[in-house]
Amino acid sequence: MMSMRSEQIAAHRPRYQDELAHGLERFFEPRRTTCPWCTSSRLRGRLRTTDHPQHKPGTFVLDQCRSCGHVFQNPRLSADGLDFYYRDCYDGLGEATMARLARSPLAVRLYRARARALLPFGRPSRWLDVGTGHGHFCAEARKIHPDTRFHGLDWGEGVEIAARNGRISRAYRGSFVGLAGQLACQYDVVSMHHYLEHTLAPRQELAAAHTALRPGGHLLVEVPDPESASARLLGQWWGPWLQPQHLHFVPLDNLCSALAEQGFTVVATDRHAPHVPTDLTSAAVNLLKSVLPSEDLPWLPRRPGPVSRWIRGLSLLAVAPVLLVLIGLDLLLAPFTRRTRLSNAYRVIARRD
């Protein structure tokens, strides 16, 4: 008898196979010859990799601008590509996994640290969390800011689930750039936690935040740090590359300059506290996924056979102790890593002038 998940996978397989039958070319835009951040033509290849998290087909390239340091996916996913590669990652088949990660002790500590970062700037009345997912950050942030009303915005159905579950008091589903006009001057804080790297046009997102904030309000941004030494050391296995979903990696100086251009004053930067202590573990998991037989996935033409399933299960049992050791090392080394350029993320807080 098939499990419920197996039935869901079997139900999804015809749609995925129909899409793949038309080829992958339509999932990508034409390749750029200039940097999307500064328009320089001085580009170099930074990375070529595959979809480690979901194992969906395709090869993805990150280029880096030699002039400004911006790292970007090239060629970039098209609208069809974004739909294909995001589907069943945060919602659908991937919803249960993402929910477990969002409720983990590590995630809760990170959420609370982000909320505390705003304490030196007063107690906000109304806070908009952009890219809120299922609203887990807002639920934890309310414990730090109990009198604040938290609203959430996202593309997926998770934001509506967050409202139904009481994690946010209001949900906006859609594009922040498209919705910003109706949100003008309504918020004391806008937060973007590991959101900006997913967007097609980061500068437009910053402009949308300026629109939604009241004068004197604050924008809180956290993103992966493309200048991290860990990114160089771990190469394609570095977890924050997260291809193909991460489209832009903005160096800290570039983001601060863009914020000034949009009418913000940067009041705090931090390369230490935002570090997510999972680099060794996520790199090992990415490597493991690339060599093990795949699990049953609807974008594969057929279910894995019994031998493949047996090899996969036995291998996972064998490496489980190693992964536990790596988890421990990531946590043990975190105080040192946070104080060095090995830190994998940074935070910026900017005030709307």
Side-chain angles (χ1 to χ4, degrees):
M1 181 180 294
M2 296 177 66
S3 67
M4 181 178 296
R5 178 172 173 81
S6 295
E7 291 176 354
Q8 290 176 324
I9 290 170
H12 283 68
R13 184 167 277 120
R15 178 183 178 185
Y16 275 107
Q17 296 309 309
D18 180 64
E19 289 179 302
L20 290 170
H22 293 86
L24 301 179
E25 293 78 9
R26 65 192 180 90
F27 293 152
F28 296 90
E29 296 179 348
R31 191 178 186 280
R32 289 186 63 103
T33 58
T34 59
C35 172
W37 193 264
C38 74
T39 72
S40 169
S41 59
R42 299 179 63 241
L43 306 181
R44 70 177 183 92
R46 175 71 187 262
L47 189 75
R48 180 179 293 269
T49 188
T50 57
D51 180 351
H52 297 309
Q54 288 189 286
H55 248 173
K56 287 182 176 177
T59 300
F60 312 97
V61 177
L62 293 176
D63 282 349
Q64 184 167 23
C65 177
R66 294 179 184 271
S67 297
C68 73
H70 187 76
V71 179
F72 62 102
Q73 188 184 84
N74 194 23
R76 192 175 71 180
L77 293 182
S78 65
D80 286 340
L82 289 167
D83 175 71
F84 179 83
Y85 288 105
Y86 268 83
R87 195 186 315 143
D88 290 313
C89 183
Y90 299 98
D91 298 317
L93 294 174
E95 181 179 340
T97 299
M98 290 299 170
R100 286 195 298 271
L101 292 174
R103 292 193 297 264
S104 69
L106 173 60
V108 169
R109 287 198 296 273
L110 290 170
Y111 296 154
R112 293 180 181 178
R114 291 165 183 168
R116 291 190 186 99
L118 264 295
L119 288 175
F121 306 100
R123 295 282 186 174
S125 173
R126 187 178 291 184
W127 184 319
L128 177 66
D129 187 41
V130 181
T132 197
H134 288 72
H136 294 284
F137 162 74
C138 295
E140 292 301 324
R142 189 179 293 113
K143 299 174 183 178
I144 310 299
H145 300 273
D147 298 322
T148 300
R149 287 170 291 169
F150 286 90
H151 297 176
L153 185 151
D154 213 325
W155 276 101
E157 65 178 346
V159 67
E160 295 169 348
I161 295 172
R164 289 198 297 269
N165 290 339
R167 299 187 191 109
I168 56 176
S169 56
R170 185 163 185 177
Y172 296 97
R173 185 173 180 179
S175 157
F176 186 31
V177 173
L179 293 169
Q182 62 183 273
L183 305 176
C185 296
Q186 292 189 24
Y187 292 97
D188 303 296
V189 173
V190 170
S191 56
M192 299 175 174
H193 303 125
H194 292 268
Y195 163 81
L196 204 62
E197 62 269 27
H198 292 262
T199 63
L200 296 171
R203 276 195 173 92
Q204 292 182 22
E205 302 289 336
L206 300 180
H210 189 277
T211 297
L213 282 166
R214 296 169 177 148
H218 289 86
L219 171 64
L220 170 62
V221 177
E222 280 191 20
V223 290
D225 188 351
E227 299 172 295
S228 168
S230 295
R232 294 192 297 273
L233 290 171
L234 296 174
Q236 68 162 304
W237 312 115
W238 191 54
W241 290 132
L242 195 64
Q243 289 303 290
Q245 297 187 20
H246 286 179
L247 308 180
H248 293 278
F249 296 84
V250 187
L252 175 59
D253 288 346
N254 287 9
L255 183 60
C256 290
S257 297
L259 286 166
E261 292 169 5
Q262 295 289 349
F264 289 95
T265 296
V266 173
V267 295
T269 63
D270 189 348
R271 265 193 160 116
H272 307 314
H275 172 69
V276 183
T278 58
D279 278 345
L280 295 176
T281 308
S282 61
V285 169
N286 285 340
L287 177 60
L288 189 64
K289 286 184 173 182
S290 72
V291 298
L292 283 183
S294 181
E295 60 184 312
D296 187 15
L297 298 168
W299 39 92
L300 299 179
R302 61 187 62 85
R303 294 187 68 192
V307 174
S308 294
R309 294 198 299 270
W310 180 82
I311 292 173
R312 179 181 175 81
L314 191 63
S315 299
L316 290 173
L317 283 174
V319 302
V322 177
L323 293 178
L324 289 174
V325 170
L326 291 175
I327 291 171
L329 279 174
D330 273 325
L331 295 174
L332 184 65
L333 294 172
F336 164 77
T337 304
R338 284 193 173 97
R339 288 169 173 79
T340 69
R341 292 305 296 270
L342 290 166
S343 178
N344 59 23
Y346 67 80
R347 175 189 300 144
V348 175
I349 301 175
R351 183 184 65 246
R352 181 195 165 178
D353 297 331

